[in-house]
Amino acid sequence: MNQMSILTDVTLCIGCEECVKACKNTNGTGEDQPWRWQRKIDDLSASRWTTIVSRPEKHYVRKQCRHCLEPACASVCPVGAMHKTPEGPVVYNPKICMGCRYCMMACPYGIPRYTWSEAVPYVRKCIMCYDKIKSGELQQPACTAACPQKATIYGNREELLQIAHKRIEEKPDLYIPKVYGEHDVGGTSVLYLSDVSLDFLGLKKEMDDKPLPPRTWAFLKEVPYVFVGVGALMYGTYWVVERRMRLEAERRGEPWPPSHEKGER
Amino acid sequence: MRLRLVKGILWFFAGLAAVVTVFRFFKGLGAVTALTDTTPWGLWIGFDVLGGVALAAGGFVIAATVYIFHMEKYHAIVRPAVLTAFLGYAAVVGGLMFDIGIPWNIWRPMFFWQHHSALFEVAWCVMLYFTVLQLEFAPVVLERMKHPLLQTIYKIVKFSTLPLVILGIILSTLHQSSLGTLFLIMPYRVHPLWYSPILPILFYISAIGLGLSMVITESMVSTWLYKKHLEKDLLNGLGKTAAWVLGLYAFLKLGDLAVNNKLHYLFDGSWESNLFIFELLISAILPTIMFASPKIRQSTGGLATAAGLAVFGFVLNRIDVSGLSTIQATGSLYFPSWAEFAISIGIVSAAALAFFFFVENFFVYEEPCGEKAEKYDVPVADPVTGVRLSWSPLANARLYSLIFIVAVAFGFAMLPDYAVKGATPEKTPVNKARRVDGLQAKTENAALYSYAVFNPERGNNPENGEKIEMLLIDGDRKNKFVLFNHEGHQAKNGGKESCGICHHMNKPLDKASSCDECHRDMFVATDTFDHEFHRDKLKASGGCVKCHKDPAQSKNRLTTTPCKDCHKKMRAPNSFVKIAEKDQTGIAPGYMTAMHKLCVECHKQKQTEKPELAPHLARCGACHQGFEESMLTSLEPYPQEESGAL
């Protein structure tokens, strides 16, 4: 698995928001405004794809799309507008989006945002600068390039995991001995090292390591069997009941089918 | 008369919805709905789509009863049940057109196959089943058509009734359950009481129970409206079946809680647990008990109550699963805007009006219904005055269009500003300055209070009662203050008689003149940037383009690289006016303190380290006019000017 990833070390972040600014400039997300539908001005919005969340005692946590290995948003999209690229980022194609907002409901981290103010609205979220890296315009995402502290770095997921585990080994007293995103909801491409709990990033404090899409698939994989099974069951019932009634009618010497079933009123 | 009244009300709601429709499509979802990023699905999904599909389940249940199980006595209610289902699905599709952001892309799932998406499956099934329902209902319309071609089509459709019914049952089974599958991927969003691995099965069984209850309700309403004979025998049988289905549902629901060890949530006293118990009572338990009792089933009131409770309960269930049960996870309270209610009710009204149209003009029941007075009569003119006295159908149409237009006007008048003009960013109200005494009330603010009232210049001591009258300027009431020395300003401006300088000379809508009207230099650029110095220094490593990235652009502040991009360490500690701690009271440094403490301190320190840079580092003259540059290399305190020109 050669996925491109981001590792954010919360202990190094000074909260300067250079990443936010770089993201806004690179992706041309427009001006931030206090819209009614935002949680608060410094949280994510359609014009702010990454943000610094202040936590007690001068801890700054960069919030952004986690680019899950098995993304719920991509699995629920009925048209495939949201999809996971082989390189790692989960990207969005506005051209085929129909605006059902199921991705926003399904995301366990509550990341995708909507341009509610537009007459033709779209979903917005971090795409790890996929288009610009693909075209060679950028070597790495704007946010990681902009970080003056190297608190957030870009690289191969395997290598970043090694770096993360090495840092934990070197300073076991500082870090919580866990790489956030290594296993959460099946693993994410955006990893965190932290000395404070990052549970607040998800919708629930305790989220297990099982990926979400199989929960739906458990039922959806039965669809062909249900289709054939219900059809056969219904026709079988029809045949049995009809036969029994025909025999009953013949025994009584009545005509079959009865006149009112022939269609005339 | 009662029919005319009901229709009038329905036309009114249709008119209201018509107004909102215009603004929904021209101004966007944000302007019309109360939806937010944290609650992206609201009333339109919960009620119109999830509720609508479930309410329309009567179609396939009755079709199965009659055509598969050969229960011929229910033949009389097949047509109304299929019509209800057909209009129900039309309402669902209509509701979806409002809810999805880009409705003209609704056909996309047909060509972009995503078989792992529950919504993809629902889209296909609903689309196919809507077609099946149209074909199932088509004979009712076609049988009245005389054209030979239409008669041929009629015969073909009639011949394929059985395959259509079976296909309808298959598709209904699939998508009624898949609406539950939609929520399987949200274990962290949906409250544990409603989240269940068997959600699809619960949705399917409840749809059958709700379908039966809805057929009962719909029969009773049309009987009441058209003063027909109530087919109590039929409804009795339906009620008996409903008792079994609803009983099974309640059993499964409680059994599921028990198996998954969630029973403790049921009695933890949270509002979710109360809502769940209420919902289960009115959707399943009470109707089961009522339908199970032959005595209640026989009484019109009992039947109506039981069916009504089930209908209300299951619509509530769908709204709970898709909305109310997610509040604990998202923490965002959503209440639909009235425009959302208007669309929801308007779509139902339009469906009901279409129902009446079919019932009155086609053989949905034994014969076309409708009050005698509503059928066309030759208008009779009063022989003396010539005034026409009877109501003609046209007169009804006139009444309804009047009601519709009144509703449109009323709706337009009631629309909030943001719906008409489009969504606008929130405005934060600017509150008045407060007296510093406000800080005293809370003990944790004691230190801030003494800081605020203590004036180091005069050396007064608040404990001896020597205080200065300070105002806290905190326009957004976020407990981050700027201190304003009211007493000091008064004294400096010339005592008691000077109020007019700030309070009377201000602009019409202001209470007081703003600071910068006197402190003109508040927005003076105070940079100490030495262009020649930088030019010489950077000549070797790239020259102008080092800062002026694009030589083609005019060279100004906006197009030039900011200082901090190169001088990464130039930032003083605490130089970010950023609210580090939410909900914590704090006093921001004043203007002078900010300049002197945050910038000057560091510049002075640098002066000692690198004396050769001194003239470039601190140029007090930028703010303090009249200072000579030569004075600045000394580290002595700056002499104060009496005039207070700052």
Side-chain angles (χ1 to χ4, degrees):
Chain A
M1 200 157 34
N2 195 26
Q3 297 225 339
M4 296 319 283
S5 296
I6 289 176
L7 171 68
T8 299
D9 191 331
V10 173
T11 60
L12 296 179
C13 180
I14 55 167
C16 67
E17 299 201 341
E18 285 296 317
C19 47
V20 180
K21 210 180 76 186
C23 173
K24 288 177 69 66
N25 290 340
T26 309
N27 294 300
T29 56
E31 206 181 318
D32 285 330
Q33 284 182 313
W35 293 108
R36 170 182 60 73
W37 42 82
Q38 277 162 223
R39 264 194 195 154
K40 50 187 190 302
I41 186 75
D42 62 330
D43 206 343
L44 294 179
S45 75
S47 60
R48 195 174 256 248
W49 300 354
T50 180
T51 167
I52 301 286
V53 183
S54 292
R55 299 299 289 173
E57 291 165 9
K58 301 231 155 120
H59 285 97
Y60 305 100
V61 181
R62 183 155 86 94
K63 192 172 179 181
Q64 66 170 116
C65 172
R66 300 292 289 267
H67 300 279
C68 306
L69 299 186
E70 289 189 50
C73 58
S75 102
V76 299
C77 184
V79 294
M82 201 67 89
H83 69 277
K84 175 94 177 163
T85 57
E87 293 91 338
V90 177
V91 299
Y92 170 71
N93 178 1
K95 280 185 194 146
I96 57 174
C97 176
M98 63 182 210
C100 67
R101 306 192 291 282
Y102 194 8
C103 49
M104 302 174 70
M105 286 293 284
C107 178
Y109 295 100
I111 295 292
R113 301 293 143 131
Y114 211 47
T115 55
W116 296 99
S117 60
E118 309 289 324
V120 184
Y122 294 108
V123 176
R124 292 279 177 254
K125 71 165 197 68
C126 159
I127 54 169
M128 233 198 247
C129 293
Y130 179 73
D131 50 342
K132 303 212 166 55
I133 292 174
K134 189 99 180 164
S135 68
E137 192 182 320
L138 291 179
Q139 295 305 310
Q140 56 170 320
C143 50
T144 56
C147 185
Q149 293 284 321
K150 298 272 170 287
T152 182
I153 51 176
Y154 178 69
N156 190 292
R157 188 165 189 269
E158 302 298 319
E159 286 164 17
L160 288 183
L161 275 173
Q162 279 174 12
I163 294 175
H165 283 294
K166 216 173 108 195
R167 283 192 198 171
I168 293 177
E169 258 172 51
E170 281 167 4
K171 293 181 190 169
D173 300 337
L174 176 64
Y175 293 108
I176 291 176
K178 168 188 177 181
V179 183
Y180 286 87
E182 188 175 9
H183 303 297
D184 312 32
V185 289
T188 66
S189 286
V190 172
L191 308 163
Y192 287 92
L193 272 179
S194 176
D195 55 342
V196 287
S197 171
L198 298 184
D199 290 343
F200 68 94
L201 287 175
L203 277 182
K204 265 255 170 73
K205 288 232 181 314
E206 315 87 30
M207 302 208 288
D208 60 28
D209 292 348
K210 276 180 271 168
L212 292 170
R215 289 176 185 253
T216 311
W217 188 240
F219 271 85
L220 280 187
K221 69 170 191 283
E222 310 294 345
V223 164
Y225 307 110
V226 172
F227 193 95
V228 175
V230 172
L233 183 70
M234 284 300 131
Y235 187 76
T237 314
Y238 166 81
W239 187 81
V240 168
V241 177
E242 207 257 355
R243 181 170 172 276
R244 194 183 293 163
M245 291 181 78
R246 195 179 65 233
L247 292 179
E248 176 76 16
E250 274 168 12
R251 197 174 55 80
R252 284 208 221 124
E254 287 166 9
W256 185 263
S259 57
H260 70 265
E261 260 201 18
K262 281 178 189 159
E264 61 263 24
R265 300 200 63 92
Chain B
M1 191 56 215
R2 60 169 73 144
L3 190 60
R4 197 179 295 148
L5 180 72
V6 170
K7 279 191 186 171
I9 294 171
L10 294 178
W11 275 109
F12 182 81
F13 286 127
L16 278 187
V19 184
V20 178
T21 305
V22 175
F23 290 98
R24 152 68 187 90
F25 287 107
F26 283 96
K27 296 297 177 189
L29 284 165
V32 173
T33 67
L35 296 169
T36 63
D37 278 333
T38 35
T39 316
W41 284 1
L43 182 73
W44 291 344
I45 293 289
F47 175 75
D48 289 82
V49 177
L50 296 178
V53 168
L55 286 173
F60 89 93
V61 174
I62 298 298
T65 314
V66 173
Y67 293 108
I68 304 295
F69 295 98
H70 288 273
M71 297 190 183
E72 294 301 332
K73 68 172 179 177
Y74 294 107
H75 209 284
I77 51 169
V78 168
R79 286 189 163 189
V82 169
L83 177 60
T84 314
F86 167 58
L87 292 173
Y89 276 86
V92 168
V93 175
L96 264 181
M97 296 305 262
F98 281 91
D99 186 77
I100 70 171
I102 310 167
W104 50 93
N105 277 355
I106 198 168
W107 52 270
R108 296 241 182 222
M110 287 166 71
F111 296 99
F112 295 86
W113 282 52
Q114 297 294 323
H115 60 274
H116 43 62
S117 164
L119 195 60
F120 166 76
E121 197 236 302
V122 171
W124 262 99
C125 285
V126 168
M127 195 168 56
L128 290 177
Y129 186 51
F130 191 41
T131 315
V132 166
L133 278 173
Q134 287 174 38
L135 290 174
E136 276 185 33
F137 188 67
V140 178
V141 180
L142 289 173
E143 72 191 2
R144 298 205 74 186
M145 304 295 171
K146 300 254 161 29
H147 194 281
L149 178 68
L150 292 175
Q151 278 298 314
T152 320
I153 297 175
Y154 168 70
K155 278 186 189 123
I156 296 172
V157 174
K158 194 81 191 164
F159 181 73
S160 44
T161 302
L162 183 65
L164 281 179
V165 166
I166 293 181
L167 187 61
I169 295 168
I170 298 171
L171 292 171
S172 292
T173 307
L174 285 176
H175 74 260
Q176 293 285 3
S177 56
S178 282
L179 286 176
T181 317
L182 283 186
F183 296 93
L184 283 183
I185 205 157
M186 309 173 195
Y188 309 121
R189 185 180 276 264
V190 178
H191 191 275
L193 275 175
W194 281 276
Y195 185 84
S196 149
I198 58 160
L199 211 49
I201 296 167
L202 292 176
F203 263 55
Y204 180 58
I205 293 172
S206 62
I208 296 176
L210 176 57
L212 290 167
S213 309
M214 189 59 197
V215 172
I216 297 174
T217 314
E218 171 257 312
S219 288
M220 298 187 92
V221 170
S222 50
T223 313
W224 177 74
L225 275 178
Y226 292 109
K227 298 183 180 128
K228 290 193 300 124
H229 169 67
L230 187 67
E231 302 118 329
K232 233 179 204 167
D233 175 38
L234 294 184
L235 301 189
N236 197 345
L238 290 179
K240 209 166 154 186
T241 321
W244 282 103
V245 177
L246 295 178
L248 174 67
Y249 170 79
F251 175 75
L252 271 180
K253 192 121 177 158
L254 290 172
D256 169 59
L257 288 184
V259 168
N260 291 316
N261 285 326
K262 286 179 183 168
L263 279 176
H264 61 280
Y265 286 110
L266 206 52
F267 304 107
D268 66 1
S270 64
W271 68 268
E272 280 102 350
S273 68
N274 293 332
L275 178 68
F276 184 85
I277 293 170
F278 173 71
E279 180 212 295
L280 193 62
L281 267 183
I282 62 163
S283 68
I285 294 174
L286 281 180
T288 307
I289 295 168
M290 294 176 83
F291 279 138
S293 142
K295 205 175 156 200
I296 296 178
R297 271 206 318 266
Q298 287 300 331
S299 76
T300 313
L303 210 54
T305 315
L309 276 180
V311 167
F312 180 74
F314 281 116
V315 171
L316 179 66
N317 169 258
R318 299 305 196 255
I319 291 174
D320 284 346
V321 173
S322 70
L324 296 179
S325 72
T326 69
I327 290 175
Q328 43 85 36
T330 62
S332 92
L333 285 174
Y334 153 84
F335 189 79
S337 68
W338 83 257
E340 280 173 88
F341 280 114
I343 291 290
S344 285
I345 299 172
I347 289 174
V348 174
S349 304
L353 285 170
F355 184 84
F356 294 144
F357 171 79
F358 283 113
V359 164
E360 283 163 23
N361 294 288
F362 297 94
F363 289 91
V364 173
Y365 294 104
E366 292 83 28
E367 58 171 18
C369 300
E371 288 179 53
K372 281 279 175 289
E374 291 201 46
K375 296 200 169 167
Y376 181 74
D377 286 327
V378 179
V380 186
D382 186 274
V384 183
T385 57
V387 174
R388 286 177 184 176
L389 292 174
S390 69
W391 278 88
S392 71
L394 205 59
N396 270 344
R398 253 186 246 144
L399 175 69
Y400 297 145
S401 35
L402 176 69
I403 290 175
F404 187 83
I405 290 166
V406 168
V408 167
F410 179 71
F412 193 76
M414 290 294 287
L415 272 180
D417 244 19
Y418 56 81
V420 179
K421 291 179 186 153
T424 44
E426 298 260 278
K427 284 200 182 81
T428 319
V430 180
N431 288 299
K432 272 171 76 175
R434 276 183 285 176
R435 288 173 66 85
V436 78
D437 305 346
L439 280 179
Q440 223 175 355
K442 287 186 191 158
T443 43
E444 70 260 29
N445 291 335
L448 283 173
Y449 174 73
S450 62
Y451 170 80
V453 295
F454 179 67
N455 187 345
E457 277 173 34
R458 283 200 233 152
N460 61 357
N461 189 353
E463 276 149 30
N464 304 343
E466 302 168 42
K467 292 187 286 187
I468 5 166
E469 195 189 328
M470 282 285 191
L471 290 179
L472 302 172
I473 301 179
D474 173 25
D476 56 4
R477 287 288 187 270
K478 282 188 176 158
N479 283 335
K480 301 283 181 284
F481 309 101
V482 167
L483 287 175
F484 176 76
N485 186 345
H486 190 261
E487 209 177 292
H489 277 76
Q490 201 181 32
K492 223 161 205 175
N493 286 334
K496 292 266 178 212
E497 287 77 39
S498 64
C499 304
I501 292 177
C502 296
H503 289 291
H504 291 175
M505 303 299 284
N506 48 10
K507 293 175 197 141
L509 291 175
D510 291 341
K511 290 266 168 24
S513 308
S514 48
C515 307
D516 66 302
E517 294 194 23
C518 298
H519 297 270
R520 287 286 176 187
D521 55 352
M522 261 182 90
F523 300 116
V524 163
T526 53
D527 66 274
T528 58
F529 184 75
D530 190 335
H531 188 258
E532 274 169 41
F533 172 81
H534 280 82
R535 191 189 58 198
D536 296 342
K537 190 115 189 172
L538 294 173
K539 215 170 230 169
S541 61
C544 305
V545 288
K546 194 85 181 157
C547 297
H548 303 286
K549 295 273 187 231
D550 186 359
Q553 272 183 319
S554 62
K555 294 174 181 58
N556 58 33
R557 193 165 59 86
L558 292 175
T559 58
T560 306
T561 313
C563 308
K564 61 180 168 45
D565 280 16
C566 301
H567 299 274
K568 289 248 154 70
K569 285 186 186 151
M570 200 176 82
R571 252 181 232 132
N574 306 322
S575 65
F576 288 95
V577 186
K578 191 163 159 16
I579 298 162
E581 309 278 329
K582 246 187 356 180
D583 308 326
Q584 216 181 65
T585 312
I587 296 175
Y591 175 61
M592 196 168 78
T593 324
M595 281 294 155
H596 282 190
K597 289 274 156 61
L598 296 181
C599 306
V600 175
E601 292 290 315
C602 193
H603 277 216
K604 277 205 264 182
Q605 192 193 328
K606 280 272 182 267
Q607 268 180 349
T608 48
E609 288 168 12
K610 295 182 177 177
E612 74 278 9
L613 289 180
H616 306 291
L617 274 172
R619 296 195 312 163
C620 303
C623 297
H624 303 272
Q625 282 141 24
F627 273 78
E628 284 175 25
E629 301 281 327
S630 60
M631 301 164 71
L632 300 176
T633 46
S634 77
L635 294 174
E636 296 302 307
Y638 308 120
Q640 287 287 322
E641 235 182 6
E642 270 308 305
S643 69
L646 174 68

